[in-house]
Amino acid sequence: MPELPEVETVVRGLRAAFNEPNQIVAVEVSGKKLRVPCPPDLPTLLLDRRFTNINRRAKYILITLDNGQILVFHLGMSGRLTIAPQNPTLLHDHVKLRFNSGHWLVYNDPRRFGGVTLIPHSSALPLHPLFRSLGIEPLTPEFTADILAQILNKRTGNIKSALMNANLIVGVGNIYACEALFRAGIHPMRPAGSLSSKECEQLVGDIKSVLEEAIISGGSTLRDYVRSSGDPGYFQHSFKVYGRHKKPCEKCNSLIENLRISGRSTFYCGRCQR
Ligand SMILES: [Zn+2]
């Protein structure tokens, strides 16, 4: 599943690809049902529009159009956005936009957990059902130790589930939650509200650094994935604990342990993480 670093990498790839004047000259939709439903009049709404800005909120890709509307893509479990030099005819292509340059932007999603929608204006974004309950962006300057302490205050559930709760903090998936907690030396089962202010400060820094490092290395995923340029695959990021069950901890040589938290496989070092 694409996580925040993959989505951010796609956003940066799209920005680079669409920094020149562009205009949508044709729109094709498959009409298949996606988790995020596509407006039936999408082709009419998008025709002749241009991309003016490309951003990200949580794992949504937000493309501002020259009329102020926002085109939203979500990659779901298996979605891919690719730029193709000619009209692609692949199975599971759901939305295809042709530009005056002759290139196509293609949204492909075999499992259809993602989707495409259009929001009338940026002012409607915060109240939109997809966005209104989203938590703080971890890579913004607003995400500080004080804010994390406020978010976790009096929470009795475990810290790992809190980090992965998108209503609290967006974009920290299973892999990055495991990695950040390892770096911070915090046991994944610790009650979230029990973290000291020093631990909050350490953890905020470690969340930011694991995400930033993954973005720099081009995102990381265990599945096949295609960048917005259409190049196949990300090279796999090296993880310190994730997927390393029974392998030696890089800090203390104890064997990495594994436990299920909220149905997700959790990797940690029982000696380094307290
Ligand atoms: Zn260790």
Side-chain angles (χ1 to χ4, degrees), residues 14-203:
L14 289 173
R15 260 187 219 139
F18 288 98
N19 68 347
E20 300 197 349
N22 58 79
Q23 185 171 30
I24 300 169
V25 295
V27 181
E28 293 180 15
V29 295
S30 69
K32 297 258 174 63
K33 198 171 183 301
L34 304 171
R35 185 183 62 84
V36 179
C38 184
D41 51 351
L42 191 76
T44 319
L45 294 169
L46 291 183
L47 201 63
D48 297 331
R49 299 273 64 85
R50 294 164 199 274
F51 289 1
T52 59
N53 226 326
I54 301 171
N55 283 302
R56 177 186 61 73
R57 172 73 174 115
K59 295 201 281 183
Y60 293 92
I61 296 163
L62 308 177
I63 301 177
T64 308
L65 306 175
D66 56 355
N67 62 356
Q69 294 191 318
I70 298 176
L71 177 62
V72 180
F73 287 98
H74 192 271
L75 302 179
M77 303 287 283
S78 57
R80 294 184 293 181
L81 263 179
T82 53
I83 295 168
Q86 63 262 321
N87 190 1
T89 50
L90 287 173
L91 199 63
H92 312 301
D93 283 347
H94 296 299
V95 175
K96 299 196 282 185
L97 309 180
R98 186 159 79 91
F99 290 84
N100 55 347
S101 61
H103 284 75
W104 293 76
L105 178 65
V106 184
Y107 175 71
N108 180 290
D109 187 359
R111 297 179 66 184
R112 292 195 248 144
F113 278 102
V116 183
T117 193
L118 201 62
I119 293 176
H121 192 264
S122 61
S123 61
L125 209 65
L127 294 173
H128 190 279
L130 291 177
F131 297 92
R132 66 185 167 212
S133 59
L134 291 178
I136 192 163
E137 287 283 339
L139 291 177
T140 57
E142 289 75 36
F143 183 57
T144 61
D146 285 347
I147 291 295
L148 181 64
Q150 271 179 39
I151 290 170
L152 302 179
N153 185 30
K154 297 198 174 104
R155 292 191 80 88
T156 52
N158 66 74
I159 180 64
K160 188 192 174 222
S161 300
L163 294 185
M164 289 179 63
N165 181 345
N167 296 334
L168 304 177
I169 305 162
V170 298
V172 184
N174 194 36
I175 295 173
Y176 300 106
C178 291
E179 293 293 311
L181 287 168
F182 173 72
R183 286 191 189 190
I186 297 168
H187 195 287
M189 286 300 288
R190 276 271 299 279
S194 74
L195 270 62
S196 68
S197 54
K198 197 167 168 227
E199 285 174 318
C200 285
E201 189 161 350
Q202 181 70 41
L203 186 55

Side-chain angles (χ1 to χ4, degrees), residues 182 249-254 256 269-273:
F182 173 72
C249 167
E250 290 184 14
K251 291 184 195 167
C252 76
N253 235 23
S254 307
I256 299 298
C269 173
R271 189 187 283 177
C272 294
Q273 294 177 249

